[in-house]
């Protein structure tokens, strides 16, 4: 999985290279950028559709009413915060999975060296 799409609350975004080991970074390159772009596009599309259907009720005015604008602001903020939390949890789960795989590999290497005397 790619690095954070959204930065942790109150922190600047981390570059992909800060969260990936060098071998993953080489493999991910363009694929990671494409994945991030696709994820952002899907998020924006979902957010636009959901917030529009929830907040916009009148189509006879060229501008948003104050209530509509407030609703859109709150709706988009909730979408972004939710996506940020999901991304953080997925990143934690991915890091845990990598650690477990590394521990398993080390265990397997340790067992492979036994009995070769």
């Amino acid at each position: 999985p790619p690095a954070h799409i959204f930065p942790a609350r109150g922190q600047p975004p981390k570059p992909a290279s800060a969260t990936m080991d060098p071998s993953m970074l080489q493999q991910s390159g363009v694929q990671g950028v494409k994945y991030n772009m696709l994820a952002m596009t899907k998020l924006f599309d979902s957010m636009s559709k959901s917030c529009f259907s929830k907040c916009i009720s009148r189509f006879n005015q060229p501008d948003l009413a104050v209530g509509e604008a407030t609703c859109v602001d709150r709706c988009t903020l909730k979408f972004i915060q939710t996506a940020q939390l999901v991304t953080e949890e997925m990143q934690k789960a991915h890091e845990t999975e990598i650690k477990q795989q590394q521990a398993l590999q080390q265990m397997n290497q340790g067992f492979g060296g036994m009995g070769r005397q």
Side-chain angles (χ1 to χ4, degrees):
H4 284 297
I5 294 173
F6 299 102
R9 279 176 251 123
Q11 296 180 5
K14 292 181 184 178
S17 59
T19 58
M20 301 171 85
D21 68 31
S23 64
M24 284 181 64
L25 188 58
Q26 289 174 354
Q27 293 172 3
S28 68
V30 174
Q31 295 287 341
V33 171
K34 286 181 181 180
Y35 180 87
N36 282 342
M37 291 294 290
L38 181 61
M40 288 297 292
T41 301
K42 285 182 178 183
L43 173 68
F44 182 78
D45 186 49
S46 295
M47 179 177 65
S48 297
K49 287 177 183 177
S50 178
C51 293
F52 181 85
S53 66
K54 177 181 177 187
C55 299
I56 310 302
S57 59
R58 302 176 319 155
F59 299 100
N60 58 352
Q61 299 287 324
D63 296 323
L64 294 176
V66 173
E68 292 173 327
T70 301
C71 179
V72 168
D73 286 345
R74 288 180 180 161
C75 182
T76 55
L77 180 63
K78 285 180 182 181
F79 246 90
I80 291 170
Q81 287 175 336
T82 300
Q84 180 180 351
L85 289 172
V86 168
T87 301
E88 289 171 6
E89 291 302 315
M90 289 178 65
Q91 183 69 25
K92 287 177 190 175
H94 178 66
E95 289 170 0
T96 300
E97 183 180 338
I98 288 174
K99 288 177 184 177
Q100 289 173 346
Q101 288 175 354
Q102 289 172 343
L104 184 60
Q105 286 175 347
Q106 288 176 349
M107 241 180 12
N108 287 338
Q109 288 173 353
F111 288 131
M114 295 177 68
R116 291 186 181 176
Q117 296 177 352

